[in-house]
Amino acid sequence: MMCKGNNLLSFVLPVTLQEEGSGLSEWRSRPDDGCLKRLHMMLSSFITMFDQRQVKEFFLVCPPRYVEPLNSFLRSITQDDRYRVLSETALCPEIPEMRHPETGQIEGWYVQQLIKLAICDLVTTPFYLTFDSDILCIKPASYPALLKNGKALLNIETPKDYRRLYTGAFALKEEQVKKKRYLLSAELLGYTRPEVLMSVFYGETPVMMHTESVRALAGYIGERYGIAWRSVLASRLTWTEYSLYFQFLEMTGRLEMIYAKTGCNSVLDLEKSVWHESCCYRRKRRYDRAHFCRNLSRDGEGCFVAVQSWLDERAWLPAGFSGIRDFYDELERWVFSGCRDNGRRSSFWRLPGW
């Protein structure tokens, strides 16, 4: 499915300086003091580690009131005009419709998911990669590293992975959460998922999205409901973006044509990520330099990790750190020194001062 001779990739990053709405927990309605530090780390690691010759466009999409300050912030990191800040309501005028039926607040969790789909209208490359601001690029990466035999790498998670990573009770809970999300998205699509696929879950951000197929999904939803597809999703807050998108590909027989199914660590490295509270894992999580920087050159190890911004830092932050910013400072040093030690950084464009 990859166009021959086209080695350019697009990127989208929904971002805000304060989470909007009640969402699924209290953190989504409080100011986020670490957001700019986290965003700086995300962009710095990406600009340093990802081959910039293969970047076609990078969209940062935010609430209208943050366009100006985020644009100034972005220009303090790079003057590259391929990096652009967009207003989320200019991209998705339907966002004000995304209100919780009880609180009346705009649901920020769904806003960032809708943005990751709606950006297909602006993307000019066959594939685009989705980001969140709590993602780090931990080793030199490139567009070809995200492909296998011309197909995009696709993380696959299974209950077996959950049982290996998490405690018994939490592994079951994680499986049930994923099954519910997939069922709700399938209902919106009018799709009955085959029994053999019921325990297959596709990876989460970062994800390689096939632009033409996202547009096909949008067209299908609009035709099925007889109104604009974004309005359908804005008024029915039961879906998640990846369960919707990938089940559409299953339903239309496109999945195997576009994606190479891999393990749970091939794009986002789930095992290295701070994905859940420490008590949920079978093995003690140290989150030290060795944890993030081991085996960087080994096949099957993802280029990206997440340090989930929604987690209460008291539930995972290693002892000896005064707070999350202190940890971020140390993590930044680990990531960049780890790549230097592996001797694979010098050929990549880097930020001044790194």
Side-chain angles (χ1 to χ4, degrees), residues 51-282:
D51 189 341
Q52 296 296 291
R53 294 167 297 184
Q54 296 166 358
V55 175
K56 177 63 180 298
E57 53 209 357
F58 194 116
F59 301 102
L60 292 87
V61 188
C62 68
R65 65 185 178 278
Y66 297 138
V67 168
E68 186 174 341
L70 277 177
N71 194 57
S72 296
F73 178 80
L74 175 63
R75 296 307 164 215
S76 73
I77 298 173
T78 178
Q79 295 294 318
D80 191 331
D81 60 11
R82 293 174 298 176
Y83 290 76
R84 300 167 51 196
V85 178
L86 304 177
S87 163
E88 63 186 22
T89 51
L91 178 66
C92 303
E94 297 81 4
I95 283 176
E97 302 172 29
M98 304 180 76
R99 296 186 179 275
H100 191 279
E102 296 178 4
T103 66
Q105 292 180 307
I106 294 176
E107 290 292 347
W109 187 49
Y110 284 102
V111 167
Q112 55 93 7
Q113 293 182 76
L114 183 59
I115 288 168
K116 290 172 185 174
L117 298 176
I119 199 67
C120 72
D121 289 341
L122 300 182
V123 167
T124 60
T125 54
F127 287 95
Y128 64 93
L129 189 69
T130 59
F131 275 137
D132 289 323
S133 62
D134 54 9
I135 299 297
L136 282 173
C137 189
I138 61 172
K139 67 179 185 181
S142 63
Y143 188 5
L146 298 171
L147 300 168
K148 182 178 181 181
N149 298 324
K151 297 181 180 181
L153 298 183
L154 174 58
N155 281 29
I156 301 292
E157 300 173 12
T158 67
K160 183 178 180 180
D161 293 317
Y162 300 154
R163 290 192 295 270
R164 185 183 75 254
L165 289 172
Y166 308 131
T167 62
F170 190 80
L172 180 59
K173 179 181 178 181
E174 186 76 347
E175 180 183 355
Q176 291 172 338
V177 167
K178 293 294 178 65
K179 283 185 174 180
K180 182 177 180 180
R181 289 179 181 176
Y182 276 70
L183 178 61
L184 291 172
S185 291
E187 289 176 354
L188 192 150
L189 291 170
Y191 172 54
T192 300
R193 202 177 193 205
E195 187 65 30
V196 69
L197 295 176
M198 293 299 286
S199 294
V200 174
F201 311 114
Y202 302 107
E204 299 184 8
T205 307
V207 170
M208 289 278 280
M209 305 289 278
H210 184 237
T211 309
E212 179 183 323
S213 294
V214 179
R215 291 171 181 162
L217 167 64
Y220 170 80
I221 293 174
E223 183 176 346
R224 174 174 167 80
Y225 289 93
I227 59 174
W229 72 273
R230 293 191 301 262
S231 291
V232 174
L233 298 187
S235 62
R236 297 168 178 259
L237 303 185
T238 57
W239 50 276
T240 51
E241 77 276 52
Y242 302 126
S243 62
L244 194 69
Y245 167 69
F246 285 115
Q247 286 186 110
F248 172 72
L249 295 184
E250 288 178 359
M251 183 176 72
T252 56
R254 299 175 182 224
L255 188 70
E256 307 290 342
M257 299 169 56
I258 299 168
Y259 289 97
K261 296 180 180 179
T262 60
C264 66
N265 299 316
S266 64
V267 182
L268 174 78
D269 195 317
L270 186 64
E271 296 194 40
K272 288 183 181 180
S273 293
V274 185
W275 199 252
H276 289 295
E277 297 178 349
S278 294
C279 65
C280 299
Y281 289 92
R282 283 190 175 275

Side-chain angles (χ1 to χ4, degrees), residues 26-41:
E26 290 182 2
W27 73 273
R28 296 192 186 280
S29 58
R30 70 168 187 250
D32 185 352
D33 291 335
C35 63
L36 288 180
K37 173 63 177 176
R38 191 165 55 247
L39 180 59
H40 185 277
M41 288 177 60

Side-chain angles (χ1 to χ4, degrees), residues 315-332:
W316 67 269
L317 191 68
F321 290 98
S322 59
I324 188 64
R325 293 190 182 196
D326 185 24
F327 176 78
Y328 284 157
D329 286 341
E330 193 67 14
L331 176 58
E332 201 165 39

